[in-house]
Amino acid sequence: MDGVMNEQQASIEKRLTRSFVKVSAITVAVAALGLIALLLISSRYSYALHNFGFAQGDIGKTMFEFADLRSSLRAAIGYDDADAIAAVVQQHEQSKTAFEENFAKIEDTIVSEDGRITYDEIKTELDAYWVLDTKIMELGATTDRELCKQAQEMALGELADKYNSIYTKLEGLLNVKVNEGNQLSKTLTITG
């Protein structure tokens, strides 16, 4: 009778051990899948933050610096005082440097075809803009009222259209980032 009991106990022990191993294996597999899902969602959130959240800030800073560039150019060709002109010319150069740094950051976050097309259009237009901007600054950053008037006419006639086109495209790029970011956010919310 003792032998039968030992056999039954051994059989029960084997079944319990197998069941415990099965449950443990299932738990480990589910935990691994959960960890993989968590890592994927975390990675996508990081991607979204970098390529859409931070990018929107970079575009905003770029737009601010671009507006500041125009403001300092207008001041340089409109002021009568040589010291004031020198100060805004320096401000203009600082704004241009900041603009170029921020604009370069935007390129690293372009992830869509629409964004790439808009970015490339802006980049192309900027080449002509800088040439004209420099020409106007060299002509009108002086106390000579006649030269200032010529520079102002160029700024109002030729440069204004280029400025408006670039600024509008920067706004368009910002809208692309907002829309794509919102779309990814919805996807991540559903996935989460």
Side-chain angles (χ1 to χ4, degrees), residues 7-185:
E7 262 182 57
Q8 286 179 341
Q9 284 178 343
S11 175
I12 291 173
E13 185 178 329
K14 284 181 184 179
R15 285 188 299 181
L16 282 174
T17 302
R18 274 188 293 206
S19 295
F20 180 75
V21 168
K22 285 180 185 176
V23 168
S24 295
I26 291 170
T27 303
V28 167
V30 169
L33 288 175
L35 181 61
I36 290 169
L38 183 63
L39 290 172
L40 287 174
I41 290 172
S42 176
S43 170
R44 294 306 290 171
Y45 270 110
S46 177
Y47 171 87
L49 187 60
H50 174 74
N51 290 314
F52 302 110
F54 294 152
Q56 290 173 33
D58 290 338
I59 294 169
K61 289 188 287 186
T62 301
M63 292 170 74
F64 171 80
E65 292 300 342
F66 197 56
D68 209 28
L69 268 163
R70 181 170 76 164
S71 177
S72 59
L73 176 67
R74 287 178 169 179
I77 63 176
Y79 286 170
D80 292 328
D81 180 62
D83 291 336
I85 292 169
V88 294
V89 167
Q90 183 179 6
Q91 178 187 348
H92 182 270
E93 289 306 310
Q94 291 169 346
S95 294
K96 183 177 179 183
T97 300
F99 171 87
E100 290 173 333
E101 288 171 0
N102 288 316
F103 190 67
K105 288 179 188 177
I106 295 170
E107 186 170 20
D108 295 336
T109 63
I110 301 294
V111 294
S112 71
E113 186 177 335
D114 289 343
R116 172 54 58 194
I117 289 167
T118 304
Y119 182 87
D120 289 343
E121 287 172 356
I122 293 168
K123 196 171 185 178
T124 299
E125 288 184 36
L126 277 170
D127 292 337
Y129 183 87
W130 295 136
V131 169
L132 190 55
D133 176 82
T134 301
K135 184 176 178 181
I136 292 170
M137 185 65 82
E138 288 172 354
L139 178 66
T142 179
T143 55
D144 182 331
R145 288 294 83 203
E146 186 55 38
L147 291 175
C148 288
K149 185 175 180 185
Q150 290 175 22
Q152 290 167 2
E153 288 172 2
M154 288 174 68
L156 290 172
E158 298 172 53
L159 193 65
D161 290 339
K162 292 183 185 332
Y163 174 87
N164 291 333
S165 176
I166 292 169
Y167 198 86
T168 300
K169 284 180 174 70
L170 284 168
E171 286 177 332
L173 189 57
L174 181 61
N175 289 333
V176 166
K177 289 293 184 184
V178 169
N179 293 336
E180 289 174 348
N182 288 341
Q183 195 173 29
L184 182 58
S185 176

